[in-house]
Amino acid sequence: MRSIRTGWERAWHGRARGRVAASRRAALERAQGLLEAGEFERAEAEARALAASPRTRGGDPGPVSWLARSLAAGAAAAHGRGAEVLPELEALIAELEQTAGADRQLLLVLRSNRAAVLVQQDRHTEAESEARDILRGTTRIAHLAEVWRIELHALTNLAAALNGQGRHEEAEAVARGNLSRAQGPAAAFLHCALVGSLNGQSRYEEALAEARRQTPAGGRTASGTLEIVTAGALHGLGRRDEAETTARQALAACEQFLHPAHPRIEEARTLLARVVAEDPPAAE
């Protein structure tokens, strides 16, 4: 899940510079740092506390409070509570869209978070539409230095949405075409989308080779993703013992690092159940 750092920094300097106490900016930066470190619960708690904190005399808390709410919703979505916070994300997007001179970069970041939630909920057609619209939006602000990050996040959501619709050749093209310039979580998710697209085309040997290629770690938000697609490739090759072991590793990682409501946990459980159910009967 994409952070909102670049967007809120622009919004801060454009709307609140010199009007909000330095302590509030420090609190927002601390919550952002926790989000980027994968400390989703703490990031959300600190951001919500900041959003609810009293106004400072002579200050305008609107920007910082709104940004804190946005960060809290993003942290909850990254943790896997997308269904719960989707209405909040949509309300924040609507508020920003109605604001004169709204920061377009921040708006695209929020919409990218919404697209990721739609992928989590298997609403792949909607996620594809949202991702493509975000990509069109990035062309209008291409002069901004950090737009490439938003673009890559949209592309990861697009590849996932295409895989979810069974359009695996298209997903492969998106992943291969952008993996070389991706970093961190974006690289991890594009890598997994590529492996998933190869699995979807029954190209299991290629998928397994790709899965075992070294890529940047995706952090807590990517927990279990690589193990799931690797187990899928092993299962497709009939290597059931290895597939079961890897599926169990995927489930353990998901349960350890993600919220119990995260859809990836159910995905790992379903995969494990399928692998175990298809084991050959024991010899009598």
Side-chain angles (χ1 to χ4, degrees), residues 235 240 272-281:
H235 184 240
R240 290 179 174 142
L272 177 59
R274 185 169 71 249
V275 171
V276 171
E278 293 181 8
D279 273 342

Side-chain angles (χ1 to χ4, degrees), residues 154-171:
L155 288 165
T156 64
N157 290 325
L158 176 59
L162 291 169
N163 269 332
Q165 296 174 73
R167 293 158 59 187
H168 302 298
E169 295 88 348
E170 294 174 70

Side-chain angles (χ1 to χ4, degrees), residues 83-166:
E84 176 186 338
V85 298
L86 183 57
E88 182 180 7
L89 267 175
E90 293 180 335
L92 288 163
I93 290 168
E95 287 178 35
L96 190 56
E97 287 175 334
Q98 294 166 13
T99 302
D103 186 286
R104 298 190 65 83
Q105 188 173 1
L106 180 55
L107 178 60
L108 291 179
V109 168
L110 288 171
R111 292 185 61 192
S112 291
N113 287 345
R114 176 169 65 183
V117 171
L118 292 172
V119 168
Q120 286 181 7
Q121 295 183 322
D122 293 334
R123 295 164 61 178
H124 298 299
T125 302
E126 295 170 77
E128 178 190 358
S129 178
E130 183 77 301
R132 291 192 185 280
D133 199 42
I134 292 165
L135 290 170
R136 286 190 289 270
T138 62
T139 64
R140 293 192 284 272
I141 56 172
H143 59 286
L144 299 178
E146 296 293 331
V147 169
W148 67 273
R149 296 182 186 276
I150 301 173
E151 181 187 12
L152 280 170
H153 190 226
L155 288 165
T156 64
N157 290 325
L158 176 59
L162 291 169
N163 269 332
Q165 296 174 73

Side-chain angles (χ1 to χ4, degrees), residues 7-46:
W8 72 250
E9 283 178 342
R10 283 173 54 80
W12 183 283
H13 289 291
R15 304 178 200 171
R17 182 171 51 195
R19 294 182 291 163
V20 182
S23 61
R24 289 172 68 79
R25 174 169 183 164
L28 192 63
E29 290 177 337
R30 183 170 59 251
Q32 176 69 48
L34 289 169
L35 173 57
E36 292 178 348
E39 298 289 339
F40 304 130
E41 303 94 323
R42 291 178 59 199
E44 181 183 1
E46 294 202 13

Side-chain angles (χ1 to χ4, degrees), residues 156 179 182-195 215-219 221-222 225-226 229:
T156 64
L179 188 55
Q183 301 173 7
F189 280 111
L190 276 175
H191 179 227
C192 290
L194 174 57
V195 178
T215 58
T221 190
T225 52
L226 181 58
V229 292

Side-chain angles (χ1 to χ4, degrees), residues 188-263:
F189 280 111
L190 276 175
H191 179 227
C192 290
L194 174 57
V195 178
S197 73
L198 295 172
N199 282 339
Q201 297 173 68
S202 300
R203 292 159 58 187
Y204 300 118
E205 290 283 3
E206 291 177 69
L208 185 59
E210 182 64 42
R212 290 178 170 171
R213 186 173 64 85
Q214 186 173 3
T215 58
R220 185 179 174 190
T221 190
S223 297
T225 52
L226 181 58
E227 291 86 351
I228 286 173
V229 292
T230 302
L234 290 165
H235 184 240
L237 291 169
R239 295 162 62 171
R240 290 179 174 142
D241 288 346
E242 295 171 82
E244 179 181 348
T245 297
T246 308
R248 291 190 187 280
Q249 291 170 347
L251 180 57
C254 291
E255 290 179 334
Q256 180 177 358
F257 295 113
L258 302 175
H259 189 273
H262 201 299

